[in-house]
mmCIF file of all heavy atoms in Angstrom:
data_model
loop_
_atom_site.group_PDB
_atom_site.id
_atom_site.type_symbol
_atom_site.label_atom_id
_atom_site.label_comp_id
_atom_site.label_asym_id
_atom_site.label_seq_id
_atom_site.Cartn_x
_atom_site.Cartn_y
_atom_site.Cartn_z
ATOM 1 N N GLN A 49 3.293 5.843 20.660
ATOM 2 C CA GLN A 49 3.411 7.040 19.678
ATOM 3 C C GLN A 49 3.063 6.542 18.255
ATOM 4 O O GLN A 49 2.391 7.289 17.454
ATOM 5 C CB GLN A 49 4.950 7.274 19.560
ATOM 6 C CG GLN A 49 5.395 8.274 20.637
ATOM 7 C CD GLN A 49 6.881 8.566 20.552
ATOM 8 O OE1 GLN A 49 7.478 8.485 19.477
ATOM 9 N NE2 GLN A 49 7.518 8.869 21.690
ATOM 10 N N ILE A 50 3.542 5.316 17.934
ATOM 11 C CA ILE A 50 3.237 4.821 16.517
ATOM 12 C C ILE A 50 1.761 4.712 16.286
ATOM 13 O O ILE A 50 1.247 5.209 15.331
ATOM 14 C CB ILE A 50 3.931 3.389 16.359
ATOM 15 C CG1 ILE A 50 5.412 3.591 16.174
ATOM 16 C CG2 ILE A 50 3.294 2.648 15.177
ATOM 17 C CD1 ILE A 50 6.251 2.281 16.070
ATOM 18 N N SER A 51 1.024 4.124 17.250
ATOM 19 C CA SER A 51 -0.497 4.063 17.166
ATOM 20 C C SER A 51 -1.086 5.425 16.996
ATOM 21 O O SER A 51 -1.907 5.644 16.168
ATOM 22 C CB SER A 51 -0.932 3.332 18.389
ATOM 23 O OG SER A 51 -2.366 3.098 18.173
ATOM 24 N N GLU A 52 -0.699 6.399 17.816
ATOM 25 C CA GLU A 52 -1.208 7.697 17.786
ATOM 26 C C GLU A 52 -0.930 8.390 16.454
ATOM 27 O O GLU A 52 -1.842 8.907 15.871
ATOM 28 C CB GLU A 52 -0.797 8.593 18.943
ATOM 29 C CG GLU A 52 -1.320 8.325 20.214
ATOM 30 C CD GLU A 52 -2.954 8.211 20.160
ATOM 31 O OE1 GLU A 52 -3.572 9.150 19.552
ATOM 32 O OE2 GLU A 52 -3.450 7.200 20.633
ATOM 33 N N ASN A 53 0.280 8.232 15.980
ATOM 34 C CA ASN A 53 0.580 8.883 14.638
ATOM 35 C C ASN A 53 -0.136 8.193 13.517
ATOM 36 O O ASN A 53 -0.505 8.885 12.616
ATOM 37 C CB ASN A 53 2.146 8.961 14.449
ATOM 38 C CG ASN A 53 2.838 9.783 15.480
ATOM 39 O OD1 ASN A 53 2.178 10.736 16.113
ATOM 40 N ND2 ASN A 53 4.157 9.638 15.679
ATOM 41 N N LEU A 54 -0.065 6.905 13.671
ATOM 42 C CA LEU A 54 -0.872 6.151 12.568
ATOM 43 C C LEU A 54 -2.347 6.571 12.465
ATOM 44 O O LEU A 54 -2.869 6.771 11.288
ATOM 45 C CB LEU A 54 -0.708 4.602 12.808
ATOM 46 C CG LEU A 54 0.343 3.830 12.133
ATOM 47 C CD1 LEU A 54 0.081 2.421 12.410
ATOM 48 C CD2 LEU A 54 0.247 4.083 10.554
ATOM 49 N N LYS A 55 -2.942 6.818 13.611
ATOM 50 C CA LYS A 55 -4.392 7.177 13.612
ATOM 51 C C LYS A 55 -4.444 8.505 12.833
ATOM 52 O O LYS A 55 -5.422 8.669 11.982
ATOM 53 C CB LYS A 55 -4.903 7.389 14.921
ATOM 54 C CG LYS A 55 -5.148 6.134 15.711
ATOM 55 C CD LYS A 55 -5.747 6.429 17.111
ATOM 56 C CE LYS A 55 -5.512 5.330 18.122
ATOM 57 N NZ LYS A 55 -5.892 5.526 19.415
ATOM 58 N N GLN A 56 -3.509 9.441 13.110
ATOM 59 C CA GLN A 56 -3.630 10.746 12.336
ATOM 60 C C GLN A 56 -3.522 10.408 10.817
ATOM 61 O O GLN A 56 -4.098 11.137 10.068
ATOM 62 C CB GLN A 56 -2.591 11.686 12.750
ATOM 63 C CG GLN A 56 -2.773 12.279 14.233
ATOM 64 C CD GLN A 56 -1.700 13.231 14.579
ATOM 65 O OE1 GLN A 56 -1.668 14.219 13.745
ATOM 66 N NE2 GLN A 56 -1.134 13.127 15.666
ATOM 67 N N LEU A 57 -2.586 9.639 10.474
ATOM 68 C CA LEU A 57 -2.283 9.467 9.058
ATOM 69 C C LEU A 57 -3.422 8.602 8.308
ATOM 70 O O LEU A 57 -3.736 8.820 7.171
ATOM 71 C CB LEU A 57 -0.973 8.687 8.749
ATOM 72 C CG LEU A 57 0.258 9.596 9.315
ATOM 73 C CD1 LEU A 57 1.563 8.761 9.258
ATOM 74 C CD2 LEU A 57 0.414 10.880 8.531
ATOM 75 N N PHE A 58 -3.948 7.744 9.037
ATOM 76 C CA PHE A 58 -5.154 6.947 8.458
ATOM 77 C C PHE A 58 -6.525 7.774 8.519
ATOM 78 O O PHE A 58 -7.525 7.501 7.996
ATOM 79 C CB PHE A 58 -5.368 5.611 9.245
ATOM 80 C CG PHE A 58 -4.645 4.431 8.789
ATOM 81 C CD1 PHE A 58 -3.805 3.641 9.704
ATOM 82 C CD2 PHE A 58 -4.754 4.003 7.399
ATOM 83 C CE1 PHE A 58 -3.282 2.575 9.333
ATOM 84 C CE2 PHE A 58 -4.039 2.770 7.112
ATOM 85 C CZ PHE A 58 -3.156 2.115 8.112
ATOM 86 N N LYS A 59 -6.413 8.959 9.474
ATOM 87 C CA LYS A 59 -7.565 9.706 9.575
ATOM 88 C C LYS A 59 -8.657 8.908 10.195
ATOM 89 O O LYS A 59 -9.696 8.539 9.688
ATOM 90 C CB LYS A 59 -8.034 10.413 8.330
ATOM 91 C CG LYS A 59 -7.076 11.469 7.845
ATOM 92 C CD LYS A 59 -7.687 12.327 6.798
ATOM 93 C CE LYS A 59 -6.519 13.212 6.202
ATOM 94 N NZ LYS A 59 -6.967 13.914 5.034
ATOM 95 N N THR A 60 -8.357 8.252 11.398
ATOM 96 C CA THR A 60 -9.321 7.336 12.167
ATOM 97 C C THR A 60 -9.201 7.606 13.638
ATOM 98 O O THR A 60 -8.047 7.988 14.102
ATOM 99 C CB THR A 60 -8.975 5.852 11.709
ATOM 100 O OG1 THR A 60 -10.004 5.100 12.444
ATOM 101 C CG2 THR A 60 -7.637 5.383 12.191
ATOM 102 N N ASN A 61 -10.136 7.246 14.340
ATOM 103 C CA ASN A 61 -10.168 7.113 15.799
ATOM 104 C C ASN A 61 -10.111 5.770 16.231
ATOM 105 O O ASN A 61 -10.281 5.361 17.424
ATOM 106 C CB ASN A 61 -11.397 7.741 16.369
ATOM 107 C CG ASN A 61 -11.280 9.308 16.296
ATOM 108 O OD1 ASN A 61 -10.250 9.919 16.392
ATOM 109 N ND2 ASN A 61 -12.356 9.965 15.849
ATOM 110 N N ASN A 62 -9.949 4.776 15.302
ATOM 111 C CA ASN A 62 -9.919 3.283 15.675
ATOM 112 C C ASN A 62 -8.774 3.162 16.735
ATOM 113 O O ASN A 62 -7.652 3.280 16.442
ATOM 114 C CB ASN A 62 -9.653 2.471 14.504
ATOM 115 C CG ASN A 62 -10.708 2.438 13.528
ATOM 116 O OD1 ASN A 62 -11.942 2.646 13.806
ATOM 117 N ND2 ASN A 62 -10.533 2.044 12.252
ATOM 118 N N THR A 65 -5.077 0.226 15.999
ATOM 119 C CA THR A 65 -4.333 0.711 14.879
ATOM 120 C C THR A 65 -2.848 0.601 15.337
ATOM 121 O O THR A 65 -2.397 1.043 16.185
ATOM 122 C CB THR A 65 -4.720 2.277 14.729
ATOM 123 O OG1 THR A 65 -6.129 2.422 14.622
ATOM 124 C CG2 THR A 65 -3.907 2.849 13.587
ATOM 125 N N PHE A 179 -1.027 5.056 0.681
ATOM 126 C CA PHE A 179 -0.910 5.642 2.006
ATOM 127 C C PHE A 179 0.188 6.865 2.060
ATOM 128 O O PHE A 179 1.270 6.672 1.842
ATOM 129 C CB PHE A 179 -0.586 4.500 2.956
ATOM 130 C CG PHE A 179 -0.648 4.855 4.351
ATOM 131 C CD1 PHE A 179 -1.763 5.447 4.954
ATOM 132 C CD2 PHE A 179 0.341 4.573 5.188
ATOM 133 C CE1 PHE A 179 -1.897 5.768 6.261
ATOM 134 C CE2 PHE A 179 0.213 4.909 6.684
ATOM 135 C CZ PHE A 179 -0.912 5.528 7.134
ATOM 136 N N THR A 180 -0.390 7.881 2.468
ATOM 137 C CA THR A 180 0.364 9.209 2.633
ATOM 138 C C THR A 180 0.885 9.903 1.320
ATOM 139 O O THR A 180 1.569 10.821 1.405
ATOM 140 C CB THR A 180 1.746 9.007 3.623
ATOM 141 O OG1 THR A 180 2.640 8.306 3.031
ATOM 142 C CG2 THR A 180 1.268 8.398 4.945
ATOM 143 N N LEU A 184 -6.752 9.783 1.969
ATOM 144 C CA LEU A 184 -7.210 8.446 2.408
ATOM 145 C C LEU A 184 -7.925 8.836 3.769
ATOM 146 O O LEU A 184 -7.256 9.358 4.565
ATOM 147 C CB LEU A 184 -6.381 7.369 2.550
ATOM 148 C CG LEU A 184 -6.710 6.239 3.196
ATOM 149 C CD1 LEU A 184 -7.625 5.166 2.295
ATOM 150 C CD2 LEU A 184 -5.573 5.302 3.800
ATOM 151 N N GLU A 185 -9.286 8.648 3.887
ATOM 152 C CA GLU A 185 -9.884 8.906 5.142
ATOM 153 C C GLU A 185 -10.706 7.826 5.699
ATOM 154 O O GLU A 185 -11.855 7.527 5.419
ATOM 155 C CB GLU A 185 -10.915 10.101 4.994
ATOM 156 C CG GLU A 185 -10.116 11.419 4.262
ATOM 157 C CD GLU A 185 -11.001 12.606 4.204
ATOM 158 O OE1 GLU A 185 -12.013 12.667 4.951
ATOM 159 O OE2 GLU A 185 -10.582 13.586 3.472
ATOM 160 N N VAL A 186 -10.109 7.060 6.595
ATOM 161 C CA VAL A 186 -10.582 5.811 6.969
ATOM 162 C C VAL A 186 -11.991 5.964 7.644
ATOM 163 O O VAL A 186 -12.996 5.266 7.247
ATOM 164 C CB VAL A 186 -9.538 5.015 7.929
ATOM 165 C CG1 VAL A 186 -10.299 3.964 8.771
ATOM 166 C CG2 VAL A 186 -8.419 4.520 7.141
ATOM 167 N N LEU A 264 6.855 7.933 10.266
ATOM 168 C CA LEU A 264 5.542 8.591 10.553
ATOM 169 C C LEU A 264 5.715 10.022 11.018
ATOM 170 O O LEU A 264 4.997 10.864 10.609
ATOM 171 C CB LEU A 264 4.766 7.764 11.665
ATOM 172 C CG LEU A 264 4.481 6.334 11.393
ATOM 173 C CD1 LEU A 264 3.666 5.643 12.428
ATOM 174 C CD2 LEU A 264 3.813 6.143 10.069
ATOM 175 N N LEU A 268 4.176 13.494 9.408
ATOM 176 C CA LEU A 268 3.313 14.507 10.183
ATOM 177 C C LEU A 268 4.018 15.816 10.130
ATOM 178 O O LEU A 268 3.271 16.896 10.189
ATOM 179 C CB LEU A 268 3.088 13.924 11.642
ATOM 180 C CG LEU A 268 2.086 12.780 11.707
ATOM 181 C CD1 LEU A 268 1.954 12.162 12.930
ATOM 182 C CD2 LEU A 268 0.678 13.170 11.159
ATOM 183 N N GLU A 269 5.209 15.959 10.331
ATOM 184 C CA GLU A 269 6.062 17.173 10.228
ATOM 185 C C GLU A 269 5.783 17.904 8.989
ATOM 186 O O GLU A 269 5.496 19.139 8.921
ATOM 187 C CB GLU A 269 7.478 16.989 10.401
ATOM 188 C CG GLU A 269 7.901 16.709 11.840
ATOM 189 C CD GLU A 269 9.287 16.152 12.053
ATOM 190 O OE1 GLU A 269 10.158 16.432 11.046
ATOM 191 O OE2 GLU A 269 9.753 15.564 12.946
ATOM 192 N N LEU A 272 0.058 16.246 5.893
ATOM 193 C CA LEU A 272 -0.483 15.273 4.838
ATOM 194 C C LEU A 272 -0.807 16.076 3.598
ATOM 195 O O LEU A 272 -0.542 15.734 2.451
ATOM 196 C CB LEU A 272 -1.777 14.554 5.322
ATOM 197 C CG LEU A 272 -1.504 13.230 6.102
ATOM 198 C CD1 LEU A 272 -2.734 12.725 6.595
ATOM 199 C CD2 LEU A 272 -0.784 12.237 5.139
ATOM 200 N N PHE A 276 0.512 15.476 -0.103
ATOM 201 C CA PHE A 276 -0.334 15.092 -1.207
ATOM 202 C C PHE A 276 -0.010 16.157 -2.438
ATOM 203 O O PHE A 276 0.118 15.623 -3.499
ATOM 204 C CB PHE A 276 -1.804 15.203 -0.924
ATOM 205 C CG PHE A 276 -2.138 14.164 0.293
ATOM 206 C CD1 PHE A 276 -3.313 14.515 0.967
ATOM 207 C CD2 PHE A 276 -1.648 13.016 0.410
ATOM 208 C CE1 PHE A 276 -3.778 13.733 1.915
ATOM 209 C CE2 PHE A 276 -1.947 12.223 1.514
ATOM 210 C CZ PHE A 276 -2.933 12.576 2.278
#
Side-chain angles (χ1 to χ4, degrees):
Q49 276 177 26
I50 285 176
S51 182
E52 283 314 308
N53 290 342
L54 262 184
K55 283 184 205 168
Q56 290 189 51
L57 296 173
F58 271 129
K59 300 193 183 169
T60 183
N61 289 316
N62 290 339
T65 303
F179 191 49
T180 74
L184 168 80
E185 304 187 19
V186 167
L264 301 183
L268 289 169
E269 282 167 19
L272 274 178
F276 300 153

